[in-house]
Amino acid sequence: MALETATYISQLTATNPTTSDSVAQGDDHLRMLKTVLKTQFSGLTGTTAVSSSEAELNILDGVTSTAAELNILDGVTSTAAELNILDGVTSTAAELNIMDGVTSTAAELNILDGVTSTATELNYNDITTLGTVQTSKSVTADGSGVVNHADYQVVRPYFKDYAETVNAIGGTGGGTQDIDVTVGNVVTATVDTSTNTFTFSNPSATGRACSFTLLLTNGGSQTVNWPSSVDWAGGDAPSLTSSGVDVLTFTTVDAGTIWYGFAAGLDMG
C-alpha cells in the first residue's frame, strides 16, 4: 500500500499510487489531494476563477521569492495598469529597498512629477553643513538664516537696505586689545584705565581688500599704541579726542602686511 502522508505539494510522492495498490485506496488518495490543495492554496476563496493567462503567469518564472515574500501581495489592491509602471524598471533590490520605511504620501511624491533634474543637479543640495556655501552646491541658510560664503566670491550683488555687523568691544580696560575682523567690520570701543595697545587679526587673504571702521571713544584719555603695520596718512597717527568719539578707518590688500589708516572724523561728539 503506497499512500504517503502529505499536507503540502512538496510532500506528495509522484509515483503514488503504485500499480499494485488496490482500487479501494483511490478514495484515500483523492481526499489527501483535496487536503493538500486546500491547505496550499488557502487564500483562494469564493467562486472567482484565476483569469491570468499562461504568458502572464510565466512572468513569475524564475522568481526566487519565498512564500513569506509572496504573501506580501495579500491584500494588494493595485490595478494591472499600476503594476505595469514597473515594466522596464532596472532597479536592483538594494535600490528598491531604499523605499522601505518611506512614509511619504502620494501628494508628497507627486511633487517630483515633471522634475527634469539630473542626479548631479539634485545633488547640488547635498551640502556638508547647513548654511555653508560649497562649490557646485546650492546656497542654503542655517536655522538662524545665516549663509556662510566661506570666502567664495559673490559676483554682481544688488543690495538694498543692508547692515554691517558691529563688534562692540566696550571698555578696553588697558593692556592689549585685539580687533578681529571676522567678528565685524564696524568696531566700537572705549579707551579707559591705562595705556592701550591695539592689535589687528584675521584680515582677508592677499589680493582681497579688507577694511574696518573703528568708532573709538575717549581715545585721547590714555596712551594708545597702534600696530607697527599701520601706515598713517601723513606718516603720523592722529591726535585722539580725550572726551568724545573719533572715527578711524583701516584698509589692507596684502593680508595685513600694511594697514592704511586714516581719520575719517575726529571729535565727532
Side-chain angles (χ1 to χ4, degrees):
M1 178 173 64
L3 177 62
E4 70 271 31
T5 299
T7 303
Y8 298 100
I9 293 175
S10 61
Q11 297 171 321
L12 293 174
T13 302
T15 57
N16 289 341
T18 64
T19 55
S20 61
D21 285 344
S22 66
V23 175
Q25 290 180 303
D27 59 334
D28 296 327
H29 281 285
L30 290 173
R31 279 191 294 273
M32 181 184 62
L33 289 173
K34 286 183 178 182
T35 298
V36 167
L37 290 172
K38 290 178 70 65
T39 302
Q40 190 80 65
F41 301 105
S42 60
L44 296 177
T45 60
T47 59
T48 303
V50 175
S51 59
S52 298
S53 66
E54 180 181 4
E56 291 169 330
L57 290 174
N58 278 338
I59 294 174
L60 292 174
D61 184 27
V63 172
T64 59
S65 300
T66 64
E69 291 169 332
L70 289 175
N71 278 336
I72 294 174
L73 292 172
D74 184 26
V76 171
T77 59
S78 298
T79 64
E82 291 170 333
L83 290 176
N84 279 337
I85 293 173
L86 292 172
D87 183 27
V89 171
T90 59
S91 298
T92 63
E95 291 170 332
L96 289 175
N97 278 336
I98 294 174
M99 300 292 293
D100 184 27
V102 171
T103 59
S104 298
T105 64
E108 291 169 332
L109 290 175
N110 278 338
I111 294 174
L112 292 172
D113 184 26
V115 172
T116 59
S117 299
T118 64
T120 300
E121 291 169 335
L122 289 176
N123 279 334
Y124 288 161
N125 287 313
D126 184 22
I127 58 175
T128 302
T129 304
L130 187 64
T132 300
V133 177
Q134 294 176 244
T135 303
S136 298
K137 303 290 183 178
S138 65
V139 177
T140 305
D142 65 12
S144 300
V146 175
V147 178
N148 181 0
H149 287 270
D151 292 328
Y152 287 116
Q153 189 177 57
V154 179
V155 179
R156 299 184 67 180
Y158 181 37
F159 295 113
K160 181 179 181 180
D161 190 23
Y162 79 97
E164 292 184 74
T165 300
V166 176
N167 175 12
I169 293 174
T172 59
T176 300
Q177 176 62 60
D178 183 57
I179 295 178
D180 184 349
V181 180
T182 62
V183 178
N185 291 84
V186 175
V187 183
T188 61
T190 299
V191 172
D192 56 12
T193 308
S194 60
T195 298
N196 195 109
T197 299
F198 283 104
T199 59
F200 304 159
S201 63
N202 295 317
S204 301
T206 297
R208 302 177 185 180
C210 176
S211 302
F212 70 90
T213 299
L214 172 61
L215 281 66
L216 189 61
T217 300
N218 302 339
S221 65
Q222 306 292 334
T223 300
V224 172
N225 298 317
W226 301 101
S228 60
S229 57
V230 176
D231 184 0
W232 290 102
D236 295 312
S239 297
L240 302 177
T241 305
S242 297
S243 180
V245 177
D246 298 317
V247 179
L248 308 171
T249 299
F250 302 88
T251 300
T252 181
V253 293
D254 54 14
T257 300
I258 298 176
W259 284 96
Y260 297 100
F262 60 92
L266 298 176
D267 194 12
M268 299 297 292

